[in-house]
Amino acid sequence: MTIRHGILTLLSQGPRYGYQLRAEFEASTGAAWPLNIGQVYTTLSRMERDGLVSPGEQDEQGRVVYSITEAGLAEMERWFRTPVVPSDRPRDELVIKLAMAVTAAADVRPIIQAQRTATMRTLQEFVRAKRASVGDPAQRLVLDSMIFQAEAEQRWLDHCEAVLTASPQTQEKQR
């Protein structure tokens, strides 16, 4: 997800100024993606340039309220209809780290164990946050996704350990 699309989605619910957008973006994503206020205003400026939002008049506190345009609504709808493909996601540093450790003939067991411990701690934090997010379905969906990802990472780490333990190359390196 881009910040741009998140902001367009929030503006589709009505006009907002930058700080509101930042706060609502973070609340909607369960604070999984914290935003710098500068990112919000830079993104709004680019979207204004691209005709996706339009600024209104400044209020009494000097805040500019932005509204979504027809082009912005069309862009948001296009984003909703377009599936996310794996190539659109960032590279997984953990996968790269383990692959490089195996390539370098390093002992991957402590790497796997350290990650397993960190992932379990993160999973516990997500579960606690989910219990505290009663009544907010957007935040619950984000936290559920993060919980499922952490659980999948735990399963993948177990798989890595099993594969490497069974590998004749790994067994020779451990001797």
Side-chain angles (χ1 to χ4, degrees):
M1 176 177 113
T2 65
I3 296 168
R4 171 187 195 137
H5 293 107
I7 289 173
L8 286 172
T9 301
L10 292 170
L11 289 174
S12 73
Q13 299 170 18
R16 288 167 171 69
Y17 56 89
Y19 184 79
Q20 285 176 306
L21 291 166
R22 177 180 168 253
E24 289 181 29
F25 184 97
E26 289 181 0
S28 295
T29 61
W33 191 343
L35 286 182
N36 175 307
I37 194 65
Q39 289 175 289
V40 173
Y41 284 109
T42 299
T43 303
L44 284 168
S45 177
R46 289 182 185 142
M47 290 192 309
E48 181 182 353
R49 175 198 67 203
D50 297 341
L52 304 175
V53 300
S54 61
E57 298 296 319
Q58 287 188 1
D59 66 10
E60 62 280 349
Q61 295 174 328
R63 299 177 298 204
V64 175
V65 176
Y66 288 84
S67 299
I68 192 167
T69 64
E70 289 298 319
L73 285 169
E75 172 63 18
M76 180 193 71
E77 290 297 328
R78 184 199 59 75
W79 178 58
F80 284 159
R81 288 189 310 270
T82 305
V84 176
V85 294
S87 64
D88 293 340
R89 297 179 188 156
R91 291 176 185 90
D92 189 327
E93 184 178 349
L94 177 58
V95 173
I96 293 168
K97 180 190 281 190
L98 285 178
M100 291 296 149
V102 170
T103 300
D107 184 1
V108 296
R109 290 173 300 183
I111 298 169
I112 290 172
Q113 188 55 43
Q115 188 64 45
R116 184 180 284 127
T117 300
T119 302
M120 182 55 70
R121 193 172 18 254
T122 300
L123 177 59
Q124 291 167 344
E125 290 170 10
F126 292 154
V127 169
R128 279 192 294 276
K130 180 180 171 181
R131 287 186 193 129
S133 70
V134 179
D136 185 348
Q139 193 175 40
R140 177 166 182 201
L141 290 175
V142 171
L143 288 166
D144 283 343
S145 174
M146 295 163 81
I147 289 167
F148 293 156
Q149 288 172 15
E151 290 171 342
E153 184 170 291
Q154 290 287 36
R155 287 191 307 277
W156 181 74
L157 289 166
D158 291 344
H159 172 76
C160 289
E161 190 171 56
V163 166
L164 294 171
T165 300
S167 167
Q169 295 167 332
T170 306
Q171 291 172 356
E172 283 180 30
K173 291 174 188 172
Q174 293 174 354
R175 289 183 196 150

